[in-house]
Each structure stands twice: as C-alpha cells, then as structure tokens.
C-alpha cells in the first residue's frame, strides 16, 4: 500500500459523495462552503447535512477573506510532490463567514516572513503542482 | 473517591516485547501482541485460560482482540473490545476493561497495544495515514499537504509560540530531559544524549518541530492484565491499583476546529481530575505524560497545573521534571525516546515504577503515578497508586 511520495499522482485526494460538489465548484474556479438552507450555518468539512439542525445543505459561494490562525513551513516530504513539493507552507485560516469556519490550505506566492498568525489572507484557487485537480489556497493580502 | 459507579482495579501483570527498528527481523502486530499478552500473563503468574476479557486500541494498524485471543490459545472469551482510536485509546480501552471488571462481565482482562510503527504503518507516512483514515478533515487536509501528525502538532506549537512566547529552546528542554531518562533504560530505543545545540541543529520536519521533537517510530507491543482487587492478592508482584480518571473527546474528532491551540484537552478535565481524587500536581511522584511531540508535554502539563502558562521550558531546564525535582516526567524516556507504542508503554512504566521494579531509573519511594493519553482535543488521565484506595 505504500506509495512512493515523489511519483504518486493527485488521486491522493479522494472526494466522497457528499464532498464532490465542493471539489466540482473549486475545479470551476469558485470557492464554496456547505451552507444550511434552514438555519443558515456554514460548515467545513462538509458532512452532507447541517451539523446544527440537520437541515438540507447546499454549497454556496462565500467571502474569500480570512485570518491565519496558525501556520507551519513543512520541510519533510510527507505527501506526493504532485500535491505539494517541500518545503511549503500550510495555514489554518479562520474565514470571515458568519459563525466562523476554519479551513486548512497551502499558503502560496507569499514571502516567509509574512506568514504568521493574525495576518489577513485571501482564498484563491490554484491547480495542484502535479496538474489536474484545483484546490483552495491562501495568499497573504498585500496590505497585511 | 472512586469514579461514580466505578471501583478501582488492580494491575497484576505487565508484558512487552523489545521495541525495534529492524526491517530484517520485522514482526507482525499479531505476533507481537501474542508475545506481549503471554508475557503479561506469565508476569501475573496466571495460566492463559484464566483470562476471560481482552481489549485493544489502534487505527487499522493493530491485531484485533479476537485474533490475538486465538493466537494465545484463548478459545473462549466473556468480553472483548477493539477501540478505534488515537493515543486517547490508551485511556478508553483501560476504562472499558475497568468497567467490564466492575460489572462482573469478566474476571481477568488483558489490554494491549501492538503496532509495527516502523516496518508497517508509519505515522510519518501520508499513505499509511490515508489507510488509517480518521476524519472528514483528512480529505481536505491531504489536498493541502497536511497529512501526518508532526504537521498537525506544528500548528499547535506555532500558536503556542505566537500567543504564549514558547521558544524552540523550551521544546528542546523537554526532548533533552526525556532522552537523559531514556539513557538509563535499556528497553529504550534511543539512548544517546544530546545538548541544546545538537537539538537546534537537528533536522526540521514541520516548523518549529524538529526530528528530536517527534515520537520515535518503532515496532512493539505492551500488555497489562487487570483484575478486581480481591483477586489481586495472590499474584507474584505487589499489585498496583488503577483508579480510573477523566477523559474528554471533542469536535467530533476534528483537530482543526478546536478553538484554542495553546490549550489541549486538560483545559476541560484537569480540575475534575484533581478534585476526583482530592490531590494536586504536587502529590504526583511519576508523571507519564503522553509525548507524541514535545509541545504536547508542555501544553498538557501546563493544563494539568504543574506550572504556570509559559513556564514549561524553565520547569524542565531547572530540573523540576527529573529526579530530585517536583515530579519525574517520563522516567522511561517516553514516546520520544523509549519508543512510540501509542502511549501504552506509559501505563507499563507507571506500574513498574510503583512496584519498585524500575531498576536504574527507579523513582525512590514512588507511590502515585499520573498517566495521560492523547493530545490536542482528545485525551484522558488516569491515576495509579500502591494502595487500593486513592
């Protein structure tokens, strides 16, 4: 079952039935979150029903701004290089959506010294280094 | 004061196999579990057929309880349980056995953890973690290149640095203290001592965590035999009593959504734990702190009140976490240096210390041990003492 991390492809990311719409939207260039039509709660990761009220959920576009809660530069090549080539940055981001939602994303196109807790970021969509799949990433806002 | 509805039980047998990093002589989780459980029965002076309960925990990387029972010739069981869990399973599997014994469902329960953490499913391998597949977060984390435990704990360490002012030297103080202890333990896999310069120069994994901040992946197994106190008197060793403790599981198993990464699970259970037994940190002789990473030790000891917020580095540097200090933390060398048996070697160490059988690393006159399991939002703590009542 062990796969050589340098050659494995981007099938490393395996969507499920209830997460596929998220990936489909991202592939189309739009960042979305699971949202409850009944109580209005946003949720991530998606679970296919509202965590709060069990109401029906749909994926909706959201504010793409947020703040880094924590971030680390990854030196060890733990994932296939087609997913991300070490060293690379990953951040946990508190998104500016009602109720608060966290998402874990790579931070790209940003100088190391700017990637610290508390800085403002913008979610963008980028293709994985190995091609094919597109994923959400964070870029630190120029103004900080 | 016992847990409501829960009476103390006795640990009468401990067993383990050598912890190794040896591809040429790799053993399966099943064979190691069989050897460790047999060793525990022999240690208790019990014939195998006296065991009527068996439990274990793991993440698709263990040998199932029923299979291990069969592997040691136990064809009839009254109780068995496989707990799907991370490090906190050390607590949940023992607590389940305690409940089963209290309820009279079984009379002698063996609890074990067995894993081929070096030659088999490596926690540092993203593909192995995918097989273990623990949570809805994982699919999204994997896409971000955030797939293995040192990457997760790096986020906790970074936030602790940012908010509390913890330094790399503070983390290093934990690693150094743990290794000094391991150097006295012939069962420990890593016994070479290092200083702060060697620590700071060691290979970076996920900032700020270096390789010396991380658990030592090994193959191995550890087993404990528990029974009711009245059955414990006849064994060859002085019984050590397990009084249970406190446990908490949060955010549905999601690491990412825990609100405050500077505080781990003790934020929710520490006071309940101390109040349950009417003791304080100063009453603990031996603290086997779950040390998957150095930050876990700093954050959980802070949470249990061994020192004030941000004081952990000084606590370790000033010798307060070793012999002659406030409390001896991980005298066996922990997961960092003895080896990563997912925290179950901490239970073994507590019993061996309280028996007074820890040899060169014996904590003099120790009668009270705290053992923690798990990290981040999920964890538990149990109390062992040499007396039947805590």
């Amino acid at each position: 079952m062990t796969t050589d991390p340098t050659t494995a492809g981007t099938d490393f990311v395996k969507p499920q039935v209830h997460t596929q719409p998220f990936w489909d939207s991202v592939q189309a260039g739009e960042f979305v979150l699971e949202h409850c039509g009944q109580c209005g709660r946003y949720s991530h990761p998606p679970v296919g029903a509202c965590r709060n009220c069990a109401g029906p959920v749909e994926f909706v576009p959201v504010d793409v701004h947020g703040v880094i809660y924590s971030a680390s530069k990854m030196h060890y090549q733990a994932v296939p290089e087609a997913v991300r080539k070490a060293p690379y940055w990953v951040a946990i981001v508190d998104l500016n959506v009602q109720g608060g939602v966290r998402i874990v994303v790579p931070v790209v196109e940003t100088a190391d010294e700017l990637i610290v807790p508390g800085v403002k970021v913008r979610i963008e969509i980028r293709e994985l280094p190995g091609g094919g799949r597109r994923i959400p990433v964070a870029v630190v806002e120029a103004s900080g | 004061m016992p847990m409501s509805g829960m009476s103390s039980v006795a640990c009468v047998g401990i067993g383990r196999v050598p912890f190794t990093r040896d591809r040429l002589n790799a053993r399966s989780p099943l064979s190691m579990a069989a050897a460790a459980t047999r060793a525990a029965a022999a240690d208790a002076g019990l014939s195998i057929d006296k065991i009527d309960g068996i439990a274990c925990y793991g993440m698709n990387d263990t040998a199932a309880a029923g299979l291990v029972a069969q592997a040691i010739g136990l064809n009839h069981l009254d109780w068995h349980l496989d707990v799907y869990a991370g490090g906190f399973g050390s607590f949940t599997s023992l607590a389940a056995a305690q409940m089963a014994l209290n309820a009279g469902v079984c009379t002698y329960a063996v609890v074990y953890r067995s894993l081929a953490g070096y030659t088999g499913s490596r926690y540092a391998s993203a593909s192995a973690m995918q097989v273990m597949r623990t949570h809805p977060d994982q699919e999204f984390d994997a896409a971000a290149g955030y797939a293995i435990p040192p990457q997760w704990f790096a986020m906790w360490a970074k936030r602790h640095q940012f908010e509390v002012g913890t330094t790399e030297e503070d983390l290093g103080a934990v690693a150094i203290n743990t290794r000094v202890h391991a150097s006295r333990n012939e069962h420990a896999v890593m016994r070479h001592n290092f200083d702060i310069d060697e620590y700071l120069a060691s290979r970076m994994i996920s900032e700020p965590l270096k390789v010396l901040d991380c658990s030592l992946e090994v193959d191995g197994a550890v087993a404990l035999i528990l029974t009711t106190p009245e059955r414990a008197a006849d064994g060859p060793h002085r019984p050590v009593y397990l009084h249970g403790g406190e446990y908490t599981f949060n955010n549905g198993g999601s690491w990412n959504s825990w609100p405050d990464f500077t505080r781990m699970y003790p934020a929710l259970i520490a006071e309940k734990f101390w109040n349950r037994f009417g003791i304080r940190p100063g009453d603990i002789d031996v603290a086997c702190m779950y040390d998957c990473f150095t930050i876990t030790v700093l954050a959980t000891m802070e949470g249990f009140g061994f020192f004030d917020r941000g004081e952990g580095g000084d606590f370790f540097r000033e010798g307060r976490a070793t012999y002659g200090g406030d409390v001896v933390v991980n005298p066996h060398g922990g997961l960092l240096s003895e080896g990563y048996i997912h925290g179950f070697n901490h239970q073994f160490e507590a019993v061996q210390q309280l028996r007074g059988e820890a040899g060169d690393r014996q904590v003099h006159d120790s009668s009270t041990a705290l053992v923690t399991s798990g990290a981040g939002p999920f964890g538990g703590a149990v109390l062992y003492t040499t007396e039947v009542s805590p």
Side-chain angles (χ1 to χ4, degrees):
Chain A
M1 191 61 212
T2 304
T3 310
D4 179 351
T6 60
T7 58
T10 54
D11 58 352
F12 184 73
V13 180
K14 295 182 178 63
Q16 302 166 73
V17 170
H18 63 271
T19 64
Q20 190 66 53
F22 174 89
W23 294 111
D24 290 345
S25 291
V26 168
Q27 197 68 23
E30 187 163 58
F31 180 63
V32 294
L33 289 176
E34 192 179 62
H35 179 252
C36 177
Q38 193 163 283
C39 75
R41 173 79 65 99
Y42 293 94
S43 214
H44 188 78
V47 290
C50 179
R51 284 182 166 84
N52 186 46
C53 72
V57 290
E58 57 180 347
F59 288 86
V60 300
V62 294
D63 187 338
V64 296
H65 297 87
V67 174
I68 289 181
Y69 179 70
S70 194
S72 172
K73 189 175 187 179
M74 309 300 180
H75 294 253
Y76 176 75
Q77 188 68 54
V79 296
E81 288 185 358
V83 172
R84 197 65 44 189
K85 185 172 181 341
Y88 59 90
W89 281 91
V90 176
I92 297 175
V93 173
D94 284 319
L95 293 170
N96 298 347
V97 300
Q98 194 185 355
V101 169
R102 275 191 187 155
I103 189 166
V104 178
V105 286
V107 186
V108 301
E109 300 154 29
T110 303
D112 282 6
E113 60 272 21
L114 298 178
I115 308 174
V116 290
V119 304
K120 292 177 180 172
V121 296
R122 183 178 68 250
I123 301 297
E124 300 204 350
I125 308 292
R126 294 285 185 277
E127 196 169 72
L128 286 178
R133 181 179 299 284
R134 303 174 83 191
I135 66 163
V137 300
V139 176
V140 172
E141 301 265 49
S143 62
Chain B
M1 180 174 65
M3 273 166 102
S4 57
M6 284 267 271
S7 300
S8 303
V9 292
C11 177
V12 293
I14 53 178
R16 61 185 177 184
V17 299
F19 305 160
T20 55
R21 293 161 69 89
D22 184 352
R23 292 193 188 286
L24 294 177
N25 298 292
R27 298 153 298 163
S28 68
L30 180 60
S31 66
M32 290 188 291
T37 52
R38 278 193 182 278
D43 181 66
L46 277 182
S47 62
I48 288 290
D49 61 6
K50 289 282 191 190
I51 298 170
D52 50 8
I54 186 165
C56 72
Y57 65 102
M59 290 167 53
N60 293 340
D61 59 345
T62 184
L67 299 182
V68 172
Q70 192 190 32
I72 59 174
L74 258 184
N75 294 320
H76 305 287
L77 285 172
D78 292 324
W79 180 76
H80 71 109
L81 179 69
D82 293 279
V83 179
Y84 185 89
F88 58 87
S90 183
F91 180 97
T92 46
S93 55
L94 284 172
Q98 186 179 354
M99 288 187 268
L101 290 163
N102 284 175
V105 173
C106 61
T107 57
Y108 288 94
V110 62
V111 183
Y112 66 89
R113 178 69 170 108
S114 181
L115 73 167
Y118 185 74
T119 65
S121 283
R122 293 191 69 164
Y123 282 49
S125 154
S127 54
M129 290 304 289
Q130 286 285 89
V131 173
M132 296 178 197
R133 249 197 131 74
T134 55
H135 194 269
D137 281 347
Q138 198 171 31
E139 169 185 338
F140 299 90
D141 291 352
Y146 186 62
I148 62 172
Q151 299 181 321
W152 310 337
F153 282 90
M155 297 294 187
W156 296 69
K158 274 284 200 142
R159 187 73 197 187
H160 211 275
Q161 290 185 304
F162 173 73
E163 214 172 300
V164 186
T166 293
T167 63
E168 292 184 32
E169 287 80 0
D170 293 339
L171 297 169
V174 176
I176 290 167
N177 189 70
T178 309
R179 185 59 62 84
V180 169
H181 290 172
S183 69
R184 303 183 189 189
N185 175 12
E186 62 185 19
H187 202 83
V189 172
M190 287 292 178
R191 293 188 292 245
H192 148 82
N193 279 300
F194 53 84
D195 61 14
I196 192 70
D197 293 329
E198 184 176 342
Y199 164 82
L200 290 170
S202 71
R203 183 162 54 100
M204 187 62 81
I205 303 297
S206 300
E207 293 183 14
L209 300 181
K210 291 167 267 295
V211 69
L212 293 175
D213 291 298
C214 300
S215 291
L216 181 67
E217 295 167 294
V218 297
D219 296 355
V222 171
L224 266 62
I225 292 182
L226 304 178
T227 190
T228 52
E230 63 275 14
R231 292 189 180 92
D234 302 332
H237 297 276
R238 170 174 153 185
V240 169
Y241 297 94
L242 170 63
H243 305 294
E246 294 287 346
Y247 167 75
T248 184
F249 180 83
N250 298 285
N251 298 93
S254 167
W255 295 93
N256 304 333
S257 53
W258 176 255
D260 182 354
F261 276 34
T262 68
R263 300 173 205 271
M264 295 189 178
Y265 68 88
L268 299 180
I269 64 167
E271 279 310 303
K272 283 197 291 182
F273 180 85
W274 300 122
N275 292 339
R276 171 179 297 286
F277 300 113
I279 59 174
R280 307 304 300 169
D283 297 315
I284 300 295
D285 300 314
V286 176
C288 293
M289 303 302 298
Y290 192 82
D291 56 336
C292 50
F293 298 91
T294 51
I295 182 61
T296 308
V297 179
L298 288 184
T300 57
M301 288 191 76
E302 195 172 276
F304 279 108
F306 284 94
F307 40 77
D308 290 337
R309 191 159 161 86
E311 300 296 319
D314 286 341
F315 188 89
F316 276 80
R317 270 187 297 274
E318 292 167 1
R320 296 175 64 188
T322 190
Y323 301 84
D326 296 24
V327 59
V328 183
V329 178
N330 292 344
H332 55 325
L335 306 177
L336 294 170
S337 292
E338 188 183 50
Y340 183 85
I341 312 295
H342 222 164
F344 217 59
N345 42 332
H346 290 41
Q347 311 286 349
F348 184 107
E349 177 67 7
V351 174
Q352 202 166 43
Q353 287 285 349
L354 297 200
R355 281 179 174 182
E357 295 177 357
D360 290 346
R361 63 179 196 288
Q362 181 64 45
V363 177
H364 186 60
D365 278 343
S366 55
S367 62
T368 305
L370 167 73
V371 182
T372 67
S373 52
F378 337 105
V382 294
L383 181 73
Y384 289 89
T385 71
T386 50
E387 302 299 327
V388 68
S389 298

